[in-house]
Amino acid sequence: EGKRDEAAHDRAKAELARIKRRLVQDPTVVISQDETELHLYPYLVAIWCVVGSPQPQVPTPGKNRKRVLYGGLNLKTGRLVTHWAPTKSGAHFIAYLEALLRAYPHEQILLITDNGSFHHTQKVAAFLAEHQDRLAVKWLPAYCPDLNDIERTWRTLKASHAANFLFNSLDELAANVQKGIEEMNATAGK
């Protein structure tokens, strides 16, 4: 409950189920898209430790900084298409969309994404209008991250390649996460 419109959530959930049922026979590439932030300060997850032993400590170096990872999960193959950026913005979202169009140069793409304010700038709207012959967008209702399949991928990727590590730089963090993306894509269907 709370801020979420439950009726809109239920309608979107039903529509997504219909889209997913048609994945096998539909040639359209269906992409679950979102952004995630990766912070230099360690991403912590629960770990086991022996009762009575000192609690594990993870040092935090200098000032916390972040990078934004724009990504799209192909719901048929599990392949990720990503774009790194310093911030969330309409310009960086367009750069991601350009990467997505390059990754699927001959396919029709249905992008399922949230309603982040930077997804609705005038430049983004113009870009989407210019590419409407290849790129359609299904906007998810507000406050419905459970409907966006890539959210689970972000959690897995962060747990395996960002959690409980201490990186000396954002470049080291990004390189390790990029390694995780490459590992995921190596095992994804084509």
Side-chain angles (χ1 to χ4, degrees), residues 165-185:
F165 289 98
L166 177 59
F167 297 100
N168 292 315
S169 69
L170 275 175
D171 289 339
E172 280 184 21
L173 168 61
N176 204 51
V177 171
Q178 188 63 41
K179 179 182 170 196
I181 292 166
E182 290 163 10
E183 290 168 2
M184 286 179 160
N185 282 342

Side-chain angles (χ1 to χ4, degrees), residues 67-89:
R67 280 220 184 121
V68 175
L69 181 57
Y70 289 73
L73 177 68
N74 183 319
L75 294 185
K76 189 183 295 187
T77 66
R79 179 177 173 224
L80 279 169
V81 174
T82 59
H83 173 74
W84 290 93
T87 62
K88 294 179 183 178
S89 73

Side-chain angles (χ1 to χ4, degrees), residues 88-147:
K88 294 179 183 178
S89 73
H92 293 126
F93 183 54
I94 290 170
Y96 166 75
L97 294 174
E98 290 170 338
L100 185 64
L101 290 169
R102 282 191 305 275
Y104 299 101
H106 306 292
E107 292 87 357
Q108 298 289 319
I109 301 168
L110 173 61
L111 187 74
I112 300 168
T113 192
D114 63 26
N115 276 287
S117 60
F118 57 91
H119 290 167
H120 295 285
T121 66
Q122 289 179 346
K123 287 182 181 179
V124 170
F127 183 90
L128 292 173
E130 181 181 336
H131 294 89
Q132 65 185 346
D133 59 320
R134 292 204 36 234
L135 181 60
V137 180
K138 164 68 179 138
W139 301 105
L140 294 172
Y143 306 105
C144 295
D146 62 300
L147 298 179

Side-chain angles (χ1 to χ4, degrees), residues 145-165:
D146 62 300
L147 298 179
N148 204 339
D149 288 81
I150 198 170
E151 294 284 356
R152 289 172 286 288
T153 303
W154 289 150
R155 280 193 296 278
T156 300
L157 186 61
K158 285 180 175 181
S160 64
H161 287 79
N164 296 324
F165 289 98

Side-chain angles (χ1 to χ4, degrees), residues 25-67:
Q25 69 268 18
D26 191 342
T28 301
V29 175
V30 180
I31 301 289
S32 173
Q33 191 280 328
D34 195 21
E35 304 78 28
T36 192
E37 294 181 357
L38 291 141
H39 295 261
L40 185 58
Y41 278 3
Y43 174 78
L44 302 177
V45 296
I47 60 172
W48 291 97
C49 66
V50 177
V51 174
S53 66
Q55 181 176 347
Q57 300 290 316
V58 180
T60 54
K63 184 179 182 217
N64 196 14
R65 292 175 290 151
K66 72 176 179 185
R67 280 220 184 121

